[in-house]
């Protein structure tokens, strides 16, 4: 593809125009450098796994209404590079399916034609706040969610009709209107109206089906994360009849994939909505050998009676707290499989576990987000005899 039109303005892709081999080399080099700097000896640093697709891989985008210049025409898209108050319209983005670009362009036109105002972060006035599109890559289902303040004037019926009239490749299964009056520049749901269809879409990953609700976390690059999860589960070895613990399990994708391999799996997640979604999806997939517990990882582990045979962890970007690391190490399991979305916090945690009796057997980086600065990793840790 050609270099994106918005590469000089949009803060999304830092590697526009950089040859892909160089992108991979930089990301792998970052991981190696962090391990060396922290003096973490990894038995093997494996080559970075390239993404299955460099373009059109994102299944979710959260756009913001605003303007490029103060008082200028309304825009809809991403924050401008180094100018947080400015929003640039990104209706030619190469990381999303073309349906996303059509939906963004037509939604902006719909709102501009009707003279709707955008929400101002400083005055906290205005109608239009965010626009969210989610897509089931394997199912071809689209979920559209427009977020406004509680100011009156948004025409739900006309908006729904406009969306349903668009010539899209994927099928719109839900059109939502979320009202958010909180001051923070983030999407919250004070209340939601379903304009059309339903408030969830279906996705398939690793042979399992998942119902993904409007605000559920779900992996952004389905094909790439399927490779990553398959590798991580393979690292765990034979799982049949084993007791597996999955910390920071989210909506339970790994937990269910482990259970499908014959393990008795327990997933722990602090977000209650994610746990409810995980339980529903486990029922959908006919898996009765996994359970989910809502709560802080350390506190839940403190109350567990069964000792696991293997532990999988997939923490948020900040990594795992020392308290939770101590508790994880205290089980003395032979293997810990660590999935990370932040190489820096991964290396910090590997260094900590090194002093709790675990050696790093291998680290493998994955490029799940080509064009961006983000790198994922999977590490295998083994208990020292």
């Amino acid at each position: 593809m050609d270099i994106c039109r918005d590469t000089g303005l949009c803060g999304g892709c830092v590697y526009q125009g950089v040859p892909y081999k160089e992108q991979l080399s930089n990301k792998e080099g970052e991981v190696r450098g962090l391990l060396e700097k922290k003096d973490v000896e990894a038995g093997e640093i494996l080559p970075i796994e390239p993404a299955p697709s460099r373009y059109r891989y994102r299944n979710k985008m959260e756009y913001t209404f605003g303007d490029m210049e103060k008082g200028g025409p309304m825009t809809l898209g991403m924050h401008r590079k180094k100018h947080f108050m400015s929003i640039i319209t990104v209706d030619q983005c190469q990381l999303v399916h073309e349906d996303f670009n059509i939906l963004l362009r037509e939604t902006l036109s719909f709102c501009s034609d009707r003279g709707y105002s955008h929400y101002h972060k400083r005055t906290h006035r205005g109608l239009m706040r965010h626009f969210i599109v989610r897509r089931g890559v394997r199912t071809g289902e689209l979920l559209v969610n427009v977020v406004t303040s509680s100011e009156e004037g948004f025409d739900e019926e006309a908006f729904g009709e406009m969306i349903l009239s668009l010539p899209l490749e994927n099928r719109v299964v839900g059109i939502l209107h979320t009202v958010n009056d909180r001051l923070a520049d983030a999407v919250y749901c004070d209340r939601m109206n379903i304009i059309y269809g339903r408030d969830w879409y279906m996705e398939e990953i690793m042979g399992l089906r998942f119902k993904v609700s409007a605000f559920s976390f779900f992996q952004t690059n389905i094909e790439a994360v399927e490779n990553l999860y398959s590798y991580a589960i393979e690292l765990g070895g034979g799982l049949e009849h084993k007791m597996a613990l999955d910390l920071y399990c989210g909506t339970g994708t790994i937990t269910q994939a482990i259970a499908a391999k014959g393990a008795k799996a327990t997933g722990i997640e602090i977000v209650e909505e994610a746990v409810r979604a995980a339980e529903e999806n486990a029922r959908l997939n006919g898996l009765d050998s996994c359970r989910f517990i809502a709560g802080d990882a350390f506190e839940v582990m403190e109350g567990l009676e069964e000792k696991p045979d293997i532990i999988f962890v997939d923490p948020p970007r900040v990594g795992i707290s020392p308290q939770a690391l101590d508790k994880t190490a205290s089980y003395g399991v032979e293997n810990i499989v660590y999935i990370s979305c932040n190489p820096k916090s991964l290396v910090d945690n590997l260094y900590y576990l090194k002093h709790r009796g675990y050696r790093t057997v291998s680290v493998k980086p994955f490029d799940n987000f080509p064009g961006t600065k983000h790198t994922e990793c999977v590490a295998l840790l083994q208990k020292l005899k």
Side-chain angles (χ1 to χ4, degrees), residues 264-328:
K264 183 181 178 184
T266 298
I268 299 173
E269 169 60 46
I270 198 166
V271 180
E272 291 187 12
E273 184 192 354
V275 168
R276 287 194 295 271
E279 290 171 339
E280 186 174 359
N281 285 318
R283 287 192 294 272
L284 185 69
N285 289 306
L287 295 169
D288 54 12
S289 59
C290 59
R291 63 169 176 161
F292 299 93
I293 304 172
D296 173 79
F298 169 74
E299 291 174 3
V300 173
M301 283 191 286
E302 280 281 274
L304 286 180
E305 294 180 1
E306 295 175 280
K307 180 190 169 186
D309 300 305
I310 186 170
I311 297 175
F312 290 80
V313 298
D314 187 5
R317 291 193 64 78
V318 294
I320 308 173
S321 70
Q323 195 179 32
L325 281 173
D326 285 338
K327 186 61 188 177
T328 302

Side-chain angles (χ1 to χ4, degrees), residues 22-94:
E22 189 177 331
Q23 293 185 38
L24 294 174
S25 176
N26 289 348
K27 292 184 178 189
E28 186 180 314
E30 178 199 14
V31 174
R32 290 178 180 274
L34 288 166
L35 288 164
E36 290 172 9
K37 187 177 179 181
K38 198 74 177 180
D39 193 27
V40 174
E41 296 176 8
E44 195 174 18
I45 305 174
L46 296 159
I48 189 168
E49 183 78 15
S53 303
R54 286 182 59 190
Y55 303 102
R56 311 297 185 204
Y57 60 79
R58 285 193 64 93
N59 64 8
K60 177 189 175 185
M61 286 297 283
E62 189 175 293
Y63 303 109
T64 303
F65 285 93
D67 53 26
M68 263 284 282
E69 305 293 341
K70 189 175 180 181
M74 185 158 65
T75 53
L76 175 58
M78 307 296 288
H79 290 278
R80 184 180 171 186
K81 199 181 295 183
K82 298 181 181 178
H83 296 270
F84 185 76
M85 296 299 288
S86 294
I87 302 297
I88 173 172
T89 296
V90 288
D91 60 352
Q92 293 186 21
C93 180
Q94 299 174 354

